[in-house]
Amino acid sequence: MLALFDSGFGGLTVLKELAKALPNYNFAYLGDNARAPYGSRSFESIYRYTLEAVCYLFSLGCPLVILACNTASAKALRTIQQKDLPLMAPNNRVLGIIRPMAEEAGNFTKTGHIGILGTEGTINSGSYLMEIAKFWPDLHVEQEACPMLVPLVENGLLNHPATEMFIREYTQKILAKEPRIDTLVLACTHYPLLQHIFAKILPKNVKIVSQTSVIAQKTLEYLAKHPEIDSRIGKNLEKSGEIRFLTTDSAEFFERGANSFWGNPIKAKNVFLH
Ligand code: DGL
């Protein structure tokens, strides 16, 4: 199985795109719903929770875990890759979603000014600034933390006036910092569900870029370059792959909440991380 991990439901937006791109692959999705949101948590907590999830997904036999969460990618990925993986499972891989997005960041803008919107954890880590500077040293990047958006999405308030009010506030702030911004990257896996509000509010010259298709494309490229990992991910050659939905909260909670992210009814299983 190819594993995806997120603090809650947000990574389902990535899984949806990835399952479309790799229809014969088997997937495991784990949401740490019992401890979400991660956005304002400390480095130590996010690292510990993410490591527990990665260990659990490895124990299911997944050779590749994608942290389909910007906050976990920003705060836990590097330590897991450098410190834990070599000792724990040197033949397995853990990837994040910030670097692949950073690789593409400069392709979307004409003015050379882009904005990054994400959780407090993602923005304060400076990970996007660091990664983008490696690939696009001349690109001007502004950032804005949007702490209210994940709780609003997790509570299903996708069309609530309060959600629109906060999006107005965050986007006005970032555009006031740099009016030449022509591209806003939704650097949180929850935000694609709010894309309709961003589209309604933003001036027409500002493009919204969501990560999901970029991550799907980059994962395909990664698997093509790493047959040793690809061959260990289970596939169903004659029919569609299977998807296992796992959550640290109750199965019923996940099944109900996943609806607006996934669109179709699903069956989930509760798991215990330690
Ligand atoms: N979906 C996660 C991300 O991409 C954050 C959600 C959270 O705050 O738990 O950053």
Side-chain angles (χ1 to χ4, degrees):
M1 285 181 292
L2 173 47
L4 271 76
F5 168 69
D6 181 50
S7 58
F9 296 116
L12 290 172
T13 59
V14 179
L15 176 62
K16 212 171 179 179
E17 202 69 30
L18 209 46
K20 231 190 283 165
L22 298 168
N24 302 107
Y25 282 58
N26 295 327
F27 288 93
Y29 180 90
L30 172 58
D32 192 6
N33 300 78
R35 301 187 287 201
Y38 278 12
S40 314
R41 287 192 187 275
S42 68
F43 168 88
E44 288 74 20
S45 300
I46 295 174
Y47 162 63
R48 184 160 52 85
Y49 297 167
T50 306
L51 182 60
E52 287 173 9
V54 167
C55 289
Y56 180 82
L57 291 163
F58 282 171
S59 79
L60 298 182
C62 303
L64 172 61
V65 177
I66 297 175
L67 304 183
C69 173
N70 291 275
T71 313
S73 300
K75 297 222 167 186
L77 178 67
R78 194 173 330 156
T79 316
I80 293 178
Q81 281 178 336
Q82 292 178 357
K83 186 175 138 259
D84 302 296
L85 205 53
L87 300 172
M88 195 166 78
N91 296 324
N92 288 355
R93 292 290 173 267
V94 182
L95 301 176
I97 57 174
I98 294 182
R99 193 189 168 97
M101 198 60 216
E103 277 175 27
E104 296 300 314
N107 288 328
F108 300 104
T109 172
K110 288 201 174 73
T111 62
H113 291 267
I114 70 165
I116 306 288
L117 301 175
T119 66
E120 275 179 313
T122 300
I123 299 304
N124 294 343
S125 74
S127 298
Y128 269 95
L129 301 180
M130 277 181 306
E131 291 297 330
I132 290 175
K134 287 182 199 159
F135 299 102
W136 306 91
D138 297 329
L139 204 62
H140 299 273
V141 188
E142 294 290 342
Q143 307 194 99
E144 187 64 39
C146 311
M148 288 306 293
L149 298 188
V150 169
L152 288 162
V153 172
E154 289 274 321
N155 283 290
L157 302 176
L158 303 181
N159 291 304
H160 197 279
T163 310
E164 183 169 327
M165 190 193 79
F166 279 111
I167 294 181
R168 257 183 218 286
E169 187 178 316
Y170 297 138
T171 52
Q172 276 167 4
K173 264 198 197 159
I174 196 164
L175 293 175
K177 283 184 202 165
E178 178 47 81
R180 284 172 292 180
I181 289 174
D182 68 350
T183 304
L184 280 182
V185 177
L186 304 185
C188 173
T189 53
H190 284 65
Y191 300 175
L193 272 89
L194 304 174
Q195 204 153 336
H196 58 292
I197 307 183
F198 282 99
K200 179 176 147 192
I201 285 175
L202 284 169
K204 289 289 159 274
N205 62 316
V206 179
K207 198 187 309 160
I208 311 154
V209 177
S210 115
Q211 294 174 297
T212 53
S213 51
V214 172
I215 304 305
Q217 183 54 37
K218 293 281 178 185
T219 306
L220 255 61
E221 288 169 19
Y222 177 87
L223 293 173
K225 268 193 243 150
H226 294 89
E228 75 288 359
I229 297 288
D230 187 47
S231 61
R232 291 167 55 210
I233 298 171
K235 288 164 221 164
N236 285 341
L237 291 180
E238 276 108 48
K239 56 184 174 87
S240 328
E242 282 156 27
I243 305 180
R244 279 165 79 173
F245 295 96
L246 308 166
T247 175
T248 53
D249 210 311
S250 75
E252 299 73 40
F253 172 82
F254 190 86
E255 288 162 5
R256 219 177 324 115
N259 227 325
S260 48
F261 291 81
W262 196 249
N264 297 314
I266 55 160
K267 279 271 154 241
K269 189 177 159 236
N270 165 260
V271 300
F272 177 68
L273 298 181
H274 53 90

